[in-house]
Amino acid sequence: MELAWYALLGLFFATYLVLGGYDYGVGLLLAHGATEERRRAALTAVGPFFLGNEVWLVAAAGILLGAFPALEGELLAGYYPAVAGALVGVVLVNAGVQLRSRPRTRSARARWDRVVVAGSVLAALGWGALLGGLLQGLPLHPDGHVDGVGHLFTPFVAATALAVLALVALQGATFLTLRLPAAGAATLTRVARRLVPVALAAVGTATVLGLLSARVRAAVARPAVAVLLLFVLVAALLAARAALGRGRPGVAFAATGAALALPVALVGAALWPRILVSTVDPAASLAVVDGAASGPTLSLLGWLALPLLPALLGFQAMCWWIFRERTDGRAPVYW
Amino acid sequence: MDTLFLARLQFAATTSIHFLFVAVTLGLVTLLVGLQTAGFVTGKPVYERLTRFWGQLYVINYALGIATGLVMEFQFGLNWSGLARYVGNVFGAPLAIETLVAFFLESTLLGMWIFGWHRLRRGVHLALLWGVALTAYASAYWVLVGNAWLQHPVGYELRDGVAHLTDFTALLTNPTLGFALGHVISASLVTGGLLMAAVSAWHLLRRTPDFLLFRTSLRLGLLTAGVAVVFLLGFGFAQFGPVGQLQPTKFGGGPDRDALVAGWVTRFGPGDYTPPTLSDVGLGFMILIGFGLFLGLLLLPLLWRDQIIRLRFPLWLVLLALPLPFVAVLLGWIAREVGRQPWAAYGLLPVERAVSPVGPGVMLASLIGFALLLGALAVTNWTLIARHAARGAADPALGRPPAPETDTRPHSVFA
Ligand code: HDD
Ligand code: HEM
Ligand code: HEM
């Protein structure tokens, strides 16, 4: 029961990273020497999906609160700066994308675009720091309090944050190669291809720092799974590069999406059965099962929420289907 | 300054901003459903123009509803981890259902509605807006189930100091839920209706073009607010029943209160169990505003033969009344939330056990950061709404027909 909910939580958060990832990736690319027209075209490509992407985060947080209340409190409060930083980023991107085209002057729009860029950076770094922080454990005491916030400022956490930033930028670029009019997509293919080695280098750095960190080695309960998933991640990145070279943007997007989802699976599987690993008192570590809500709550949520899942996914699929084509001169423009 | 105080201040600041936006959302979406449905049934183009103009303001407003809502949701875990730890088994369920059932669909559908103009069949496009409205109401319902439980915890049993769910239906029939829901929804309709009426009044006073369009929305806004204000007062006074009975410490005293406090002293130790007077003050002013808005019903007969527009001064009254519902909703929430102090869950979990064990420095940084961020975004957002309201209905970006195709293949607009 707990495992099913844990998997569902992972699924929602990973999907958020995949879908929100290209929102933020496109947000980052707004800084990439683009003209107002090109920025507008990029946001039009995200257009109809934007609002439906961020709800995966809202829902993941809802599952966390409903199905894992004890975990929710300790997780968010324990990694306060990472979560709050990511949240500020999400808020900035949300407000920036939705409001940037409401003023008419170019200068006001350019200012909002900088807000979107800053927000995208913060969101990617924040979630990356949270994933890295989980792998490294935290100074958690049995009464639930955590010593300060210094545990988040380590080279390994910085490296994972940067790795997620690189993956997000790549994801945004492959998304645009898939959605922009074919003419505009060519330049983006080049950008995406150049981002693959950057992402590989960032993931490699994080891996090396993780192997060197005693805390990470102590926290990871299943190193074999972690290494296996890392290989899959690298393979996905290489596949993305090959697909871009062969003009298969759909495959490339699927591959970079997988690369963003894999870190979530890696953290969940490598730490299992624990999720919060205490670096000061092993007995204070929190296992997933202990962080979960009690039986009646879980079964209530199961009866109420799970039957609705097909409908939720159905409406998302409907949105993807309606707007599945490349944008063109007649695509609705609003952001 | 201690962590607890800072966390409470942050919660009060962010929820208040959130509610100023969601009250408008809830009210306007209801009116929009009416407008777009009328356009669908009658086929008159004026309704499509009205839907686009008010829809534009609605969508701008929605941006901050989401931004602030996200902060609210994460705040429970960031700042109130004790709430999750001790009562999360019960309190978390309605909020989890809300996110999955309501928000998830609401935003997905709204995205398709914004981008679906001239692209989807008209019936499908209308159905999307209905979906947005229904899920918005569902979210108000579930979030209030959660809030009502904090006001009056039911349907649980304590084991080792942790609450476990025993009876979910008790949460749904919580006596502090029903009247509050009615009151909140009518307050949102009053707010949305008055906003519509006030913007229309401004255009009529300035004699901008589109007289007929703004005449229609003035009437719709005033009638909606007029009907809703009656329900608002009804549900408002009705709330005194359950509140007086179940939360005797909230407003005023009496033997009930003394008995309850004596019980708490034996269970939780001595302490100050009376809420700050701030809540009573809020209540008083809100009721005053309520009666003021009720008097506004006297304007409704002036709708006959457009007297209200010809006389002009009633339009000024409508315009000047616009801030009142916004002030009242904040005061109402202050009465409800401050009135349950010092409890996070009334009679069950004191706030100091609910707050996260983080240092005051972190909490202060968080308070300043989020308050400044959301405050600045709120002001910017209102400026944008005001500018778009003033710009009129000539050519809103929402639902603008696509640029004509360069090749001349024939196509119908609602293909
Ligand atoms: C347009 C806004 C508005 C107006 C004019 C009023 N209210 Fe209100 N009131 C609210 C908006 C509101 C609210 C923001 O929606 C609250 C906060 C929580 C709730 O349930 O509704 C609220 C709370 C609230 C409470 C607190 C319930 C509790 O503590 O649990 C009471 C007793 C009343 N109201 C009663 C009234 C009365 C008797 C009014 C007028 C004669 C009145 N309200 C006008
Ligand atoms: C319906 C869902 C809501 C829930 C679950 C909720 C929950 C909470 C919680 C957990 C706190 C902090 C603990 C405390 O200080 O009592 C709080 C405080 C507060 N909330 Fe709410 N709230 C809700 C709605 C609102 C709304 C919409 C508003 C305002 C517009 C609001 C206004 C406040 C205020 C002013 C405080 C501070 C009270 C004080 O500590 O002095 N609440 N609420
Ligand atoms: C304190 C408790 C509350 C929390 C945790 C909360 C959470 C949220 C979240 C996460 C969103 C964003 C959803 C999205 O991304 O689409 C949101 C929006 C919304 N909230 Fe709240 N909310 C609270 C209080 C309230 C109250 C009291 C109401 C109404 C009675 C309300 C009504 C809405 C509505 C209608 C929306 C839709 C978006 C919008 O209106 O702009 N919320 N809320």
Side-chain angles (χ1 to χ4, degrees), chain A residues 158-271:
Chain A
T160 51
L162 287 173
V164 170
L165 182 68
L167 290 175
V168 158
L170 174 61
Q171 169 83 340
T174 52
F175 173 76
L176 287 181
T177 61
L178 189 62
R179 274 280 287 170
L180 280 184
T187 35
L188 258 305
T189 307
R190 254 175 285 131
V191 175
R193 275 180 66 97
R194 260 184 271 133
L195 279 170
V196 174
V198 178
L200 280 171
V203 172
T205 315
T207 310
V208 171
L209 287 172
L211 291 173
L212 292 177
S213 155
R215 278 192 262 172
V216 175
R217 286 200 309 268
V220 169
R222 280 149 215 278
V225 183
V227 170
L228 180 71
L229 288 176
L230 261 172
F231 276 118
V232 181
L233 204 168
V234 170
L237 289 175
L238 293 175
R241 189 171 156 89
L244 285 166
R246 263 185 272 116
R248 304 280 302 276
V251 177
F253 178 67
T256 54
L260 264 175
L262 278 166
V264 178
L266 192 154
V267 169
L271 297 177

Side-chain angles (χ1 to χ4, degrees), chain A residues 58 74 80 293-294 297 330 334, chain B residues 56 73 79 89 164 366 405:
Chain A
V58 176
E74 298 195 4
Y80 204 112
S294 45
T297 311
R330 296 189 14 89
Y334 186 73
Chain B
Q56 171 91 67
E73 193 183 12
N79 294 354
N89 282 319
H164 295 270
S366 170
E405 250 178 317

